[in-house]
């Protein structure tokens, strides 16, 4: 699935930018924001490819570094690829958005599978008023 998702990202980078709303800065911002979930999903597939511990991906500091390195390298490669696509250009801001989306997703995965994680922690808590 990692390679399938990476291929889908590559394919999307090969086409023209979809029009999102009226042309202008807002449209560009909305198109850029699509990068975060796109690379967040890539992180999910990379994490699921790791060995398991108690049914959850075993993600330690070394795994986090490797996953983020792979994501950043692929994001840079994808931006270089975009620079050769008509009506597209390479953007460091896109790489930054990719990294932020990947980091946020990875931190959620690490927290959900961490030593302090429990089903009690992830269920919604009832807020009781203090008297």
């Amino acid at each position: 699935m990692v390679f399938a998702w990476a291929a889908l990202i590559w394919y999307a980078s090969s086409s023209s930018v979809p029009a999102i709303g009226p042309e202008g800065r807002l449209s560009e911002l909305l198109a850029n924001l699509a990068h975060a979930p796109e690379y967040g999903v890539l992180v999910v597939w990379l994490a699921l490819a790791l060995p398991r511990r108690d049914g959850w991906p075993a993600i330690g500091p070394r795994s986090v570094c490797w996953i983020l390195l792979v994501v950043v390298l692929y994001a840079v490669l994808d931006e270089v690829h975009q620079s050769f696509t008509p009506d597209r250009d390479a953007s460091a801001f896109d790489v930054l958005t990719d990294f932020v989306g990947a980091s946020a997703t990875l931190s959620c995965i690490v927290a959900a599978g961490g030593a302090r994680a429990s089903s009690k922690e992830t269920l919604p808590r009832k807020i009781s008023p203090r008297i």
Side-chain angles (χ1 to χ4, degrees), residues 20-83:
I20 303 174
E23 194 154 328
R25 286 292 205 199
L26 180 60
S27 177
E28 291 175 17
L29 178 65
L30 292 174
N32 180 272
L33 290 176
H35 283 253
E38 183 179 57
Y39 279 79
V41 171
L42 181 60
V43 164
V44 169
W45 292 124
L46 287 166
L48 289 174
L50 293 173
R52 305 292 176 114
R53 182 176 51 238
D54 298 327
W56 195 260
I59 303 176
R62 181 172 263 159
S63 298
V64 168
C65 290
W66 277 110
I67 288 173
L68 291 178
L69 179 65
V70 166
V71 166
V72 167
L73 290 176
Y74 191 71
V76 169
L77 178 66
D78 186 47
E79 289 302 312
V80 170
H81 166 247
Q82 275 187 47
S83 72

Side-chain angles (χ1 to χ4, degrees), residues 103-117:
S103 298
T105 303
L106 189 57
S107 65
C108 291
I109 293 169
V110 169
R116 294 181 23 196

